Amino acid sequence: MELPEAKQKFIEAWGKLGSEWGINRTMAQVHALLLISPEALTTEEIMITLSISRGNANMTLRELIGWGLVEKQHKAGERKEYFFADKDTWNIARQVAKERRKRELDPVIKILDELSKVEGNVKDPEFMTFTKSVKDINKLAKNVDKTLDTMLKAEESWFWGSIFKMFK
């Protein structure tokens, strides 16, 4: 396989993986392109390479910047904006975890905390089942949150070393 074909395959695979994780396919593909590009790219270069519209490219780049996965750069004497992705996979993993925590886990924990304060008859089977389910899910969500917190604060080698020790 030649490099151009391999790059295309990577971009397609990253896009598919992203969509399976609940991230827009185009967003994942733009991120993939920027990951494998040694230099920052312009919106036009991204549009041409991925065959996407200017509106789609601009919206996607804003979203990637919002996720903290892409940075906008300016080159002296040029009016064009350039976009660059951090190539450090540990930084990427932590940033994605941080964003997903903020967008998905934090709201769930807030609702579960609210639901755990529901009042009712402790002898009612419906009430008992509801409160036990909410309590168990809340406990799991908070354990996931603690694990994410550890990951976000940890250095890569320490984190993976700790994870692997658990499975020995």
Side-chain angles (χ1 to χ4, degrees):
M1 180 181 317
E2 298 291 322
L3 183 59
E5 183 184 354
K7 288 168 118 180
Q8 188 60 38
K9 195 169 192 165
F10 175 77
I11 291 167
E12 289 172 14
W14 198 256
K16 186 174 189 284
L17 183 63
S19 64
E20 289 172 5
W21 286 350
I23 296 169
N24 177 300
R25 183 182 190 94
T26 303
M27 183 174 154
Q29 288 178 329
V30 170
H31 186 240
L33 175 62
L34 293 172
L35 278 175
I36 60 174
S37 298
E39 301 292 325
L41 300 177
T42 64
T43 304
E44 290 75 19
E45 291 169 321
I46 294 167
M47 290 167 43
I48 291 166
T49 304
L50 299 178
S51 300
I52 60 174
S53 70
R54 179 174 301 281
N56 195 357
N58 286 331
M59 182 179 64
T60 299
L61 288 164
R62 274 195 308 272
E63 188 82 10
L64 286 165
I65 290 168
W67 274 69
L69 295 171
V70 169
E71 293 178 19
K72 188 187 313 187
Q73 298 176 343
H74 295 278
K75 293 186 180 179
E78 291 193 37
R79 296 177 71 190
K80 292 180 181 178
E81 295 175 331
Y82 291 82
F83 300 91
F84 181 80
D86 185 352
K87 311 287 191 259
D88 184 316
T89 53
W90 182 245
N91 288 343
I92 294 166
R94 288 195 321 200
Q95 192 60 35
V96 168
K98 184 176 159 186
E99 279 301 310
R100 296 211 54 184
R101 176 191 207 182
K102 181 175 80 177
R103 295 167 188 251
E104 298 167 29
L105 189 59
D106 288 350
V108 166
I109 289 173
K110 183 179 177 186
I111 290 168
L112 290 169
D113 284 342
E114 189 179 315
L115 293 174
S116 68
K117 296 174 186 156
V118 69
E119 296 176 11
N121 180 355
V122 294
K123 293 180 181 180
D124 178 6
E126 258 188 272
F127 178 77
M128 288 174 23
T129 302
F130 178 82
T131 55
K132 181 179 181 340
S133 293
V134 167
K135 179 183 173 190
D136 290 349
I137 295 168
N138 199 5
K139 182 178 177 182
L140 175 65
K142 287 187 176 179
N143 283 335
V144 169
D145 190 49
K146 285 178 189 172
T147 303
L148 279 174
D149 195 46
T150 301
M151 177 194 173
L152 293 172
K153 292 177 181 174
E155 291 299 316
E156 181 179 14
S157 58
W158 176 87
F159 181 78
W160 289 116
S162 298
I163 294 292
F164 291 137
K165 282 180 189 174
M166 290 186 336
F167 292 105
K168 285 185 176 181

